[in-house]
Amino acid sequence: MRVPPVLNVHRHDTGNRALITLTGEIDLDSAPLVHASLERCLHDGIRAIDVDVTAVTFCGHNSLNAFLCALLHTAAAGGSLQLRHPSPALERLVTLTGSGSLFVTLPDAHAGNWTPPQPFPLPQAAHWPAPTLPALPSGVL
């Protein structure tokens, strides 16, 4: 029998700011806990959320999805969400997905020289050929 990974969530509020400290693994089973914890902050009136991921031992695409969803909801509520002390694996995941510019700062206190990843450049519309559609006999597309 497989023992599910454990994720611990600790929250410390100071005024309208919260520090969420995550320890353990964020996977398919535990990502909803991350999402619910961050949403609870918004429900409680918190508008500035710092997520300390120093002690996260595994962070998959489900965790990034939970963070991005919370980021969108926080921004819509006029707040901010920042990831603090991301592991090299989380930095790589953010870089590969091009979502680094959404998390304005992803400071890694251990490295000291970390810079946020640049978003992937989007192709210009002028470079894409216009789609051609066949005309129907009546002249209607």
Side-chain angles (χ1 to χ4, degrees), residues 32-51:
L33 176 60
V34 172
H35 177 75
S37 299
L38 297 172
E39 289 293 320
R40 185 67 193 179
C41 288
L42 294 176
H43 181 269
D44 292 345
I46 302 294
R47 293 299 176 258
I49 304 170
D50 295 311
V51 183

Side-chain angles (χ1 to χ4, degrees), residues 45-67:
I46 302 294
R47 293 299 176 258
I49 304 170
D50 295 311
V51 183
D52 185 347
V53 292
T54 304
V56 171
T57 57
F58 175 80
C59 206
H61 69 281
N62 296 309
S63 59
L64 183 61
N65 188 42
F67 293 139

Side-chain angles (χ1 to χ4, degrees), residues 47-124:
R47 293 299 176 258
I49 304 170
D50 295 311
V51 183
D52 185 347
V53 292
T54 304
V56 171
T57 57
F58 175 80
C59 206
H61 69 281
N62 296 309
S63 59
L64 183 61
N65 188 42
F67 293 139
L68 289 172
C69 187
L71 177 70
L72 293 174
H73 290 169
T74 304
S80 65
L81 183 138
Q82 294 186 353
L83 299 179
R84 302 289 182 180
H85 315 295
S87 68
L90 180 55
E91 287 180 20
R92 188 170 38 257
L93 184 61
V94 166
T95 300
L96 289 174
T97 60
S99 57
S101 63
L102 299 175
F103 298 103
V104 178
T105 58
L106 289 170
D108 184 351
H110 303 295
N113 59 358
W114 187 82
T115 57
Q118 298 300 310
F120 292 113
L122 295 175
Q124 297 295 325

